[in-house]
Amino acid sequence: MKAIAALDRNWAIGRDGKLLCHIPGDLKYFKEQTLGKTLVMGRKTLESLPGGSPLPGRENVIISRTLPESDEYIVKRSVEEVLEYCRGRDVFIAGGETVYRQFLDYCDEFLITHIDEEFDADAYFPNLAELGMKKVWESEEYEEKGHKYRFAKYTR
């Protein structure tokens, strides 16, 4: 299982249910990495997507105690149900903060976009360096719309 996220210098991932900023290169990277795979996200993350709709070209699994069943996505009510359903699948945990924390111990790879800024935020990703994860790869620096960023991969 893998986690994928974009975050700032303080490991922030969002504010008021929205991304920190819009970086087309990061969105393209997210799509390239997750297309054809299974995405696991919470209800609030689903609702934050364009039109509140699941992402096309991916199997969308939503963990929620309240969301009704849908033909557009799979709903699971607990971490255990998600783990059982996702066994044998290529899975990416895609947020938000609570979902990242719930699945942290099950992930062995983390694809992180580091944005070289500090944003006013209310949602955070666990600091992988403090948790002893190793950065095994980092891209060159890119800049778009005034935002400098790098892609990185961490492992246990």
Side-chain angles (χ1 to χ4, degrees):
M1 196 171 274
K2 302 171 188 154
I4 188 165
L7 41 91
D8 77 357
R9 290 183 199 134
N10 297 317
W11 297 79
I13 57 172
R15 176 155 189 86
D16 298 328
K18 295 182 177 91
L19 296 175
L20 298 170
C21 59
H22 179 81
I23 301 175
D26 174 57
L27 298 174
K28 179 181 176 194
Y29 179 75
F30 180 92
K31 183 177 182 178
E32 288 170 353
Q33 296 300 314
T34 63
L35 210 54
K37 311 288 186 347
T38 299
L39 284 181
V40 174
M41 67 186 82
R43 175 189 52 81
K44 291 180 196 172
T45 299
L46 172 67
E47 291 170 352
S48 76
L49 298 174
S53 297
L55 293 171
R58 288 150 276 210
E59 179 181 50
N60 292 256
V61 177
I62 313 305
I63 183 168
S64 171
R65 291 183 301 277
T66 60
L67 197 65
E69 300 292 331
S70 169
D71 292 336
E72 295 183 295
Y73 47 80
I74 292 124
V75 177
K76 296 297 175 189
R77 304 292 178 201
S78 67
V79 170
E80 294 74 24
E81 281 186 25
V82 171
L83 293 172
E84 178 66 30
Y85 179 80
C86 290
R87 189 172 288 129
R89 287 176 161 79
D90 196 354
V91 177
F92 280 88
I93 305 302
E97 178 179 0
T98 300
V99 175
Y100 285 129
R101 292 186 187 284
Q102 288 175 313
F103 289 93
L104 180 72
D105 290 340
Y106 301 102
C107 293
D108 53 13
E109 191 173 293
F110 304 85
L111 301 182
I112 302 299
T113 302
H114 286 287
I115 304 166
D116 191 22
E117 292 177 61
E118 293 180 16
F119 292 88
D120 183 22
D122 61 9
Y124 294 84
F125 195 89
N127 184 320
L128 298 175
E130 289 178 0
L131 295 172
M133 308 298 176
K134 303 285 184 228
K135 187 188 297 183
V136 296
W137 172 80
E138 187 172 63
S139 74
E140 63 184 271
E141 184 176 78
Y142 300 97
E143 186 170 351
E144 277 184 280
K145 295 185 161 189
H147 304 292
K148 293 181 180 180
Y149 63 98
R150 294 177 186 268
F151 302 115
K153 182 195 288 188
Y154 292 78
T155 60
R156 289 193 174 278

